[in-house]
Amino acid sequence: MSSFKEMTGKAVAMDRTNVDTDQIIPKQFLKRIEKTGFGQYLFYDWRFKPNGELNENFELNLPENHGASILIANENFGCGSSREHAPWALMDYGFKVIIAPSFADIFHQNCLKNGVLPIVLKEDEVAYLLKQSRKQPYELTVSLENKSVLGSDGFKAEFDIHPYWYNMLLNGWDEIELTLQLEERIREYEAEHSGNSTRIS
Amino acid sequence: MGNTIIEKIWEKHVVHREAGKPDLVYIDLHLVHEVTSPQAFSGLRMKNRPVRRSDLTFATMDHNVPTVNRNQIVDPVAKNQMDTLRSNCLEFDIPLADLDSPDQGIVHVIGPELGLTKPGMTIVCGDSHTSTHGAFGSLAFGIGTSEVEHVLATQTLWQAKPKTLKVEVSGSLGPGVSAKDVILYIISKHGVKFGTGYVIEFCGDVIKNMSMEERMTICNMSIEGGAKASIVAPDDKTFTYLNGRKYVPEGDDFLDNILEWKQLESDDDAEYDNAIEIDGNEIAPMVSWGTNPSMTAPVNSRVPYLSECDTEAERKAVQRAFEYMGLEEGQQITDINVTKVFIGSCTNSRLEDLRAAAEVIRGKKAAAGVQAIVVPGSQNVKKMAEEEGLAQIFMEAGFEWRESGCSMCLSMNADIVNPEEHCASTSNRNFEGRQGAGARTHLVSPQMAAAAALHGHFVDVRNLAAVEV
Ligand code: SF4
């Protein structure tokens, strides 16, 4: 797993509610068998017009927003399909942090697994960030160690993260490796519950 | 204090628990499909890790498969993805319902159909609609590809114990009102995130009286309300459904299982973190008009006026949805014309769904200018529907009868809705572009989709019944 400690970067506002993973990465791009190269398709139907031209009005296409690495989003970001291609695309495009008042469960989990930090802040804090990040340049410094978000305008907020993920991300541990250290325990469980489920083959 | 069915299953599956960590839970069944698995298998290969329990893993191809000429996959990238699943299953010794298998179908249709899905199990799949399997009293939820890899390698997952939400649907449903309408109604009333962070237990008379197929439809779309999973306590209907299926034990073993499964029911004094009550008598056939499943209204009503929106954010979202969908505020639902009809998807492609749709169109014809396609959820469903004459009814009405797969639910194959075309769809998501760039999806029940095909616009199936029966 990639580690995350601290980063400073340009924040960009995407003030839309219920942004679903079908928008983040449309299905026609899910056929690849690699984890890389999805950034070019991020928000494809919004970034490009049907004729393939750039949609200049779309948030991410505004010249002042180029190079942003922190996405300020709204309620229920990442709802819908479980596709992990969504965080892969966000990451590949350059986003390392997403800040929203709420996230959909699976998407939230998928971000953590890929070292993209999903931060839940209070509604009024997000509303403030949405407003501020419309005026570039607006930079935020996100520290996982201190669980804090600091703005170039003096904004300051703290966030919560499950201690498991806090440690996992800070250290960049391989989750599967850690689980495999519990091999003994898993084997015991399997022995105790051998009648539990029916074998398939 | 007693326990809910959710807690009972959870506690039985905790392999390891320690402070500051989620629980490590054991996974009884891991379903795999071609879209969300290739990167997981590459991950294993890179670290030289085996699949821990290929005997608890089952794969199928569904998302990409063509529904006509299914063996000629013209899209090379899709073909590569399917070939990759095939070779991964071979390499890691995982059973696969391949294209030529009589068991092939949509992963959430074949799990129950083959009896892989059973009460009390933990089930995962790299697919959000894994919640479908909860209809059998199993704890089933969707996971991402990293988690797919984790389950393949360890047969476990780190998961925080979920909160519980009881959704009680009381009363009874009127004629022409289906399970699809119930779940669309709940989401239209409580929004697309009322379930976030929860596992839902559905109960109440309406749920009790539902068939297994109907319960699957409800659990399937609980994810559209944000829930991680949903569950219905197993009862005699569950056991009857499972009896004799391919992967269900037989004879005394089955009877022993039933005794065990009966213990799963939530205790009378179990407490939930939250509860919602729904009156089934209030529910009418529903039609989604917007770009998320909460933007849904009864067929005999209208889309909202912008002035009715409570917040600025909502007003913006509704305005955007109107623009995308090509609708005017206040427009009557029955005034929306449709030129595409899709009957299929893991929400509504089982035999009962096809029967319900066929009943509406028997002896009639699809309206001129409407293309209607029927995509059975599995090869088994297809075969049964052909045997009982449903396929004939569809074809005589001018509907296209296809091979099984996800098809126009997410249009990864060649089945797409054209830009600005309105589609009456029995699938589960009306997101922008889901059925094709610019496609305008309306989520409805199979009956309502069939009725829309006959008339070229939405009609209230209840009126059809009154006039014609
Ligand atoms: S039918 Fe649709 S929702 Fe169901 S698994 Fe296939 S793509 Fe997903």
Side-chain angles (χ1 to χ4, degrees):
Chain A
M1 177 175 300
S2 353
S3 73
F4 188 107
K5 290 187 172 66
E6 184 180 299
M7 60 90 61
T8 299
K10 190 192 278 186
V12 58
M14 179 171 275
D15 188 6
R16 307 173 188 231
T17 52
N18 303 312
V19 172
D20 55 79
T21 53
D22 272 76
Q23 300 319 321
I24 298 175
I25 176 94
K27 44 122 202 287
Q28 62 268 36
F29 307 117
L30 305 184
K31 294 173 189 172
R32 300 164 62 88
I33 56 168
E34 303 85 21
K35 285 189 187 180
T36 50
F38 288 101
Q40 52 189 315
Y41 309 124
L42 180 73
F43 297 117
Y44 191 84
D45 292 343
W46 289 346
R47 256 166 81 200
F48 300 99
K49 298 181 190 161
N51 63 7
E53 277 173 30
L54 205 68
N55 171 8
E56 282 154 6
N57 298 321
F58 179 60
E59 293 89 312
L60 299 189
N61 291 342
L62 303 175
E64 64 269 29
N65 286 339
H66 286 177
S69 51
I70 299 174
L71 186 68
I72 315 292
N74 216 321
E75 264 181 29
N76 201 28
F77 190 81
C79 59
S81 157
S82 63
R83 57 188 71 161
E84 199 160 315
H85 312 69
W88 295 338
L90 285 160
M91 194 168 55
D92 194 48
Y93 185 87
F95 286 114
K96 297 192 173 61
V97 172
I98 306 164
I99 300 178
S102 59
F103 291 93
D105 286 340
I106 304 178
F107 175 79
H108 187 259
Q109 190 85 354
N110 283 343
C111 283
L112 291 167
K113 303 254 172 185
N114 288 283
V116 174
L117 187 62
I119 297 179
V120 177
L121 291 185
K122 298 192 195 78
E123 259 173 52
D124 56 333
E125 292 169 338
V126 175
Y128 179 83
L129 291 178
L130 282 170
K131 193 171 83 197
Q132 290 305 91
S133 54
R134 271 197 213 102
K135 307 175 230 151
Q136 293 299 350
Y138 187 66
E139 280 199 341
L140 292 174
T141 298
V142 175
S143 161
L144 176 59
E145 204 150 18
N146 304 327
K147 300 183 210 169
S148 68
V149 180
L150 303 177
S152 46
D153 58 346
F155 171 86
K156 188 172 187 316
E158 282 177 9
F159 61 89
D160 251 355
I161 179 169
H162 194 288
Y164 176 78
W165 286 110
Y166 180 77
N167 289 320
M168 200 63 103
L169 280 171
L170 270 184
N171 297 301
W173 283 328
D174 174 350
E175 196 184 24
I176 294 179
E177 196 53 55
L178 289 183
T179 310
L180 287 173
Q181 290 171 11
L182 292 167
E183 169 69 23
E184 192 67 22
R185 189 56 211 113
I186 300 173
R187 217 176 299 137
E188 274 167 31
Y189 179 92
E190 285 176 325
E192 286 160 23
H193 296 82
S194 56
N196 211 10
S197 43
T198 313
R199 290 202 161 198
I200 293 164
S201 52
Chain B
M1 192 184 80
N3 285 316
T4 64
I5 179 171
I6 301 158
E7 288 154 335
K8 289 184 192 181
I9 300 176
W10 191 270
E11 289 304 322
K12 211 172 162 184
H13 287 84
V14 175
V15 175
H16 178 79
R17 179 173 275 165
E18 83 182 68
K21 285 190 178 179
D23 289 338
L24 185 67
V25 292
Y26 198 78
I27 302 303
D28 294 325
L29 174 65
H30 184 190
L31 300 166
V32 172
H33 67 76
E34 79 274 24
V35 179
T36 54
S37 65
Q39 295 85 355
F41 284 111
S42 327
L44 291 183
R45 221 174 274 120
M46 259 158 50
K47 300 261 170 150
N48 239 327
R49 288 172 177 148
V51 170
R52 182 184 178 86
R53 295 292 300 266
S54 57
D55 60 331
L56 302 183
T57 313
F58 192 92
T60 187
M61 305 196 185
D62 51 8
H63 284 64
N64 273 303
V65 301
T67 56
V68 279
N69 296 332
R70 64 194 333 229
N71 290 314
Q72 289 166 22
I73 299 150
V74 280
D75 177 351
V77 199
K79 184 172 184 308
N80 184 34
Q81 198 167 58
M82 293 160 74
D83 290 344
T84 303
L85 178 65
R86 197 171 289 127
S87 60
N88 282 331
C89 287
L90 207 65
E91 179 182 341
F92 292 99
D93 198 24
I94 293 168
L96 166 70
D98 206 337
L99 276 189
D100 55 1
S101 162
D103 291 338
Q104 182 274 343
I106 305 172
V107 62
H108 311 306
V109 173
I110 66 168
E113 183 177 82
L114 298 174
L116 292 165
T117 303
K118 286 182 281 286
M121 287 178 123
T122 46
I123 302 177
V124 297
C125 173
D127 195 285
S128 55
H129 290 98
T130 309
S131 59
T132 314
H133 308 260
F136 289 79
S138 55
L139 200 57
F141 50 93
I143 55 178
T145 298
S146 299
E147 291 173 305
V148 169
E149 185 179 338
H150 193 278
V151 177
L152 288 172
T154 70
Q155 204 58 33
T156 63
L157 269 183
W158 294 97
Q159 288 281 322
K161 193 170 172 175
K163 291 186 292 175
T164 56
L165 168 64
K166 179 180 181 176
V167 177
E168 184 169 356
V169 191
S170 58
S172 60
L173 301 180
V177 180
S178 71
K180 180 65 160 286
D181 302 309
V182 174
I183 189 66
L184 282 172
Y185 174 82
I186 296 173
I187 296 167
S188 73
K189 222 174 146 164
H190 294 278
V192 288
K193 55 175 202 143
F194 76 93
T196 304
Y198 290 105
V199 172
I200 296 175
E201 179 178 353
F202 286 108
C203 58
D205 284 346
V206 167
I207 306 294
K208 239 186 189 51
N209 291 328
M210 280 183 176
S211 66
M212 292 313 295
E213 276 87 347
E214 292 174 299
R215 292 176 189 176
M216 282 189 252
T217 301
I218 299 258
C219 290
N220 173 277
M221 279 195 72
S222 60
I223 177 85
E224 263 62 65
K228 182 180 188 69
S230 57
I231 198 162
V232 176
D235 58 13
D236 287 340
K237 272 186 202 156
T238 321
F239 312 143
T240 309
Y241 178 101
L242 289 173
N243 191 10
R245 295 200 179 251
K246 191 163 174 181
Y247 294 104
V248 174
E250 294 172 359
D252 286 349
D253 287 344
F254 184 55
L255 296 178
D256 286 348
N257 276 342
I258 290 180
L259 289 180
E260 213 179 291
W261 295 338
K262 283 188 170 167
Q263 309 294 316
L264 290 168
E265 222 178 40
S266 294
D267 299 327
D268 290 337
D269 56 346
E271 279 182 25
Y272 297 79
D273 294 304
N274 216 335
I276 288 176
E277 281 175 27
I278 303 287
D279 179 359
N281 299 78
E282 277 181 9
I283 305 174
M286 306 291 286
V287 179
S288 78
W289 50 263
T291 49
N292 77 49
S294 73
M295 295 172 165
T296 295
V299 61
N300 53 0
S301 69
R302 54 171 177 79
V303 308
Y305 285 102
L306 288 170
S307 59
E308 292 166 338
C309 298
D310 294 334
T311 61
E312 178 57 20
E314 188 189 337
R315 205 191 60 82
K316 269 208 312 223
V318 169
Q319 171 78 52
R320 232 196 108 71
F322 284 162
E323 279 160 24
Y324 181 84
M325 295 296 289
L327 297 174
E328 302 283 332
E329 56 177 339
Q331 194 174 338
Q332 288 297 315
I333 297 284
T334 47
D335 287 345
I336 301 173
N337 293 328
V338 300
T339 48
K340 266 287 193 294
V341 172
F342 170 58
I343 298 175
S345 90
C346 57
T347 313
N348 283 126
S349 65
R350 289 169 284 267
L351 192 60
E352 245 181 46
D353 301 310
L354 303 188
R355 280 186 190 143
E359 208 43 57
V360 174
I361 60 162
R362 189 192 293 273
K364 306 202 178 73
K365 282 260 181 269
V370 172
Q371 185 195 19
I373 74 167
V374 187
V375 182
S378 69
Q379 288 293 297
N380 279 309
V381 170
K382 178 168 184 265
K383 184 160 163 268
M384 288 186 289
E386 285 168 355
E387 280 166 7
E388 78 177 62
L390 301 180
Q392 202 56 34
I393 297 175
F394 284 116
M395 288 188 285
E396 280 169 8
F399 287 51
E400 295 168 33
W401 181 248
R402 300 286 187 88
E403 299 282 350
S404 54
C406 293
S407 176
M408 217 179 262
C409 173
L410 93 165
S411 299
M412 265 185 94
N413 67 358
D415 307 337
I416 62 162
V417 176
N418 299 316
E420 301 193 356
E421 191 177 27
H422 290 265
C423 176
S425 178
T426 65
S427 55
N428 41 51
R429 288 187 174 140
N430 51 347
F431 297 150
E432 285 182 29
R434 172 92 176 171
Q435 295 190 296
R440 295 168 170 170
T441 305
H442 300 275
L443 306 175
V444 286
S445 71
Q447 297 89 312
M448 286 286 291
L454 299 181
H455 296 265
H457 59 86
F458 289 108
V459 289
D460 191 336
V461 275
R462 295 171 302 182
N463 298 341
L464 290 187
V467 176
E468 290 157 31
V469 171

